[in-house]
Amino acid sequence: MRHAIFDIETRIDKRLVNENQFRGRGLSDEAAFEELRSEILERRGTDFFPLSFHVPISIAVGSVEDHVLHTVEMLAAEDYSEERLVRVFWDRVERFKGCLVSFNGRQFDLPVLELQALRYGCAAPSYFGEDSSYRRRYQLGKHLDLYEFITNFGAYRVRGGFDLLLRTIGLPGKGKVDGSQVQELWEAGRLAEVHEYCRRDVIQTYFLFLRVEQVRGRMTAERYQQALDATASFRTLLDDASG
């Protein structure tokens, strides 16, 4: 079985925030962004925007065969644009015959990308088609969301989230950059740092995936260790970046 581990990083579409939430107010896009941010923070205690306002700016995909991670690729690395990034993703999904793997991808990454497919008119019948298994929540053959699996499809929450689970199995966890900094990095023209952060998350998601596969009984202890040995260079990258 082939697996494709993916992760996205996003910015907020401030123009859309302004047009949708503050139409006729005469606000600048920046003022509209700050006003909605304050409202969300006061109401929810977090400034995380609804996913409908998120635009992908970075997508990393790790190619896994026989449980071994071979490459981690940044999509649309050449001739980059936000539209091309989305189109390349959906083209890859349409041609892919294996299983997607994500962390919280069913709640965030894929809904964001689905809305962008709508924005740009990306045809992906293998994903959106009537007989597709991708959007069937309890089927794991085409999309394994590790967070949903670990929490028994939302039966409980993991306080500490991705970082805690990574540290639980001996990984470095989140580094100097986290998701709350992505908007600021993008606005400062530091997209390369966003790409590196996204790539690091895919590598760590891979090692979490391996442990989940072991727990599911899909790998023997011997095969698990062989996969770790074969991907030691990726683990070294994580440790070096944390040092």
Side-chain angles (χ1 to χ4, degrees), residues 58-242:
S58 183
I59 305 176
V61 178
S63 297
V64 178
E65 293 198 27
D66 296 327
H67 288 111
V68 174
L69 178 65
H70 292 280
T71 61
V72 180
E73 179 184 358
M74 304 309 303
L75 298 192
E78 297 180 3
D79 300 322
Y80 172 89
S81 73
E82 292 174 358
E83 178 177 350
R84 184 167 183 272
L85 183 65
V86 172
R87 291 189 179 280
V88 168
F89 175 83
W90 286 114
D91 181 66
R92 291 277 290 264
V93 170
E94 193 64 14
R95 293 183 286 108
F96 185 57
K97 302 304 181 184
C99 178
L100 301 179
V101 180
S102 70
F103 187 87
N104 201 36
R106 195 174 296 280
Q107 294 291 322
F108 181 73
D109 304 61
L110 284 174
V112 168
L113 288 161
E114 289 174 7
L115 287 172
Q116 297 305 304
L118 187 66
R119 171 179 285 197
Y120 296 118
C122 302
S126 292
Y127 180 90
F128 291 105
E130 186 175 326
D131 297 326
S132 172
S133 298
Y134 279 111
R135 302 176 92 204
R136 297 177 186 174
R137 185 174 186 183
Y138 302 106
Q139 293 192 18
L140 306 179
K142 295 298 287 184
H143 176 212
L144 171 60
D145 182 330
L146 298 176
Y147 186 71
E148 286 224 316
F149 177 82
I150 290 168
T151 62
N152 196 14
F153 298 94
Y156 64 95
R157 296 179 62 187
V158 175
R159 183 170 183 175
F162 189 47
D163 182 74
L164 179 138
L165 291 170
L166 297 176
R167 294 178 186 278
T168 297
I169 64 170
L171 292 168
K174 292 290 189 178
K176 297 176 182 178
V177 175
D178 63 44
S180 67
Q181 299 169 279
V182 168
Q183 181 82 23
E184 180 181 347
L185 289 171
W186 178 80
E187 291 178 354
R190 296 162 62 183
L191 186 58
E193 292 177 53
V194 176
H195 289 333
E196 185 55 37
Y197 167 64
C198 190
R199 185 173 187 271
R200 176 184 169 88
D201 270 4
V202 162
I203 294 171
Q204 297 207 84
T205 300
Y206 164 71
F207 287 112
L208 182 60
F209 161 71
L210 276 190
R211 186 60 63 90
V212 166
E213 289 288 89
Q214 184 185 38
V215 169
R216 294 176 73 194
R218 292 164 60 90
M219 303 179 71
T220 64
E222 180 182 15
R223 180 58 189 148
Y224 175 78
Q225 188 58 52
Q226 289 172 348
L228 289 181
D229 292 342
T231 54
S233 61
F234 288 102
R235 176 56 196 261
T236 299
L237 284 175
L238 295 176
D239 292 336
D240 289 347
S242 302

